Amino acid sequence: GMAYMDARELPGIARDEAGNERFAQRVQSTLARLRRVDAAFPRDVTVHHLWGYVHHEQARRERARIAAAEANHHYLLALDLANARPRARAALLQALGTLQASLGNHRLAVSHFERRARLPFMRPEAELAFHVALARSLFHARRQPEAVASAQAALRFLDAHPELASHRALVLDLLAF
C-alpha cells in the first residue's frame, strides 16, 4: 500500500532543485520498499508493475536510459506473470508501448500497442490515449496509411464521447504529424 502511495506522488513532484532531490529520495525509498515486498511475495504482478512504473517515471524525468531498461524489464516480468489477468496485461502493454515510444523505438511500441488493442478498455480516457499513442507510433514507424486511419479512429472516438471534449485541443496537437 505505502509503495503504491509513494509511487503515485512521483509525477507531481516539482521540477526544481529541491523537487529533484525529493524525487530521487522518493524513488530510492519506494524501490527499497518494493524490494522488501518482493522478498516476501516473489513473482507478484502488482509489485513488478509498480517497480516498472517507478523506473518509468525516473526515465521520463531524468532521461535515464538505465532507468528505462529497468522499467522495461519489470514491465515484461509483470506481463509474463499476468497471463490470466487481462486488465493487468492491458495496462502493462500500454505502459510498454508508451515507454518504447518515448525511447524512439516506434516499431516495438506498435507491437505492444497492437497486442493491447485486443484487450478490453476500462475507461474512455484510456481508449482515447491508446488511439493517439498508436497513431503517433505508426507515423514514426513510417506506416503512414495506418497512422492516418488510427488518427481518424481517435477523432471519431472523441466525437462519440462528448465527456472527452476537454481533451480535443491536446489530441489535435498530438495528431498534427
Side-chain angles (χ1 to χ4, degrees):
M2 282 304 291
Y4 177 79
M5 298 307 294
D6 282 355
R8 295 303 297 167
E9 283 180 24
L10 289 172
I13 296 176
R15 288 173 178 269
D16 52 25
E17 208 173 327
N20 291 343
E21 207 167 301
R22 233 180 82 229
F23 180 87
Q25 286 168 348
R26 178 62 53 89
V27 164
Q28 291 318 311
S29 66
T30 307
L31 292 176
R33 240 185 214 127
L34 286 169
R35 278 190 281 274
R36 288 196 297 274
V37 177
D38 183 52
F41 305 97
R43 300 181 61 75
D44 181 87
V45 174
T46 309
V47 169
H48 287 286
H49 190 167
L50 202 50
W51 208 320
Y53 174 82
V54 171
H55 282 301
H56 194 167
E57 283 303 316
Q58 192 180 22
R60 205 191 303 259
R61 186 179 178 114
E62 298 169 0
R63 298 258 167 262
R65 303 291 291 196
I66 291 170
E70 284 285 328
N72 194 59
H73 167 76
H74 286 285
Y75 282 157
L76 287 172
L77 189 53
L79 185 64
D80 196 41
L81 296 169
N83 53 6
R85 295 173 54 184
R87 288 175 72 165
R89 289 178 58 76
L92 286 157
L93 287 164
Q94 182 77 26
L96 279 158
T98 304
L99 177 68
Q100 292 301 333
S102 73
L103 297 170
N105 302 332
H106 291 285
R107 284 199 179 90
L108 186 52
V110 168
S111 77
H112 289 311
F113 288 140
E114 285 174 340
R115 288 174 67 197
R116 195 268 166 264
R118 297 196 284 270
L119 294 161
F121 288 93
M122 294 300 148
R123 292 173 25 255
E125 293 84 355
E127 196 163 350
L128 179 62
F130 163 79
H131 283 302
V132 171
L134 175 61
R136 286 174 60 87
S137 279
L138 283 165
F139 175 79
H140 291 297
R142 306 215 176 348
R143 289 166 62 178
Q144 267 75 357
E146 290 161 281
V148 169
S150 193
Q152 287 168 339
L155 296 173
R156 277 197 307 276
F157 189 81
L158 200 53
D159 289 336
H161 291 83
E163 74 277 17
L164 299 177
S166 64
H167 299 285
R168 178 171 290 275
L170 176 62
V171 168
L172 291 173
D173 189 48
L174 289 170
L175 293 177
F177 45 65

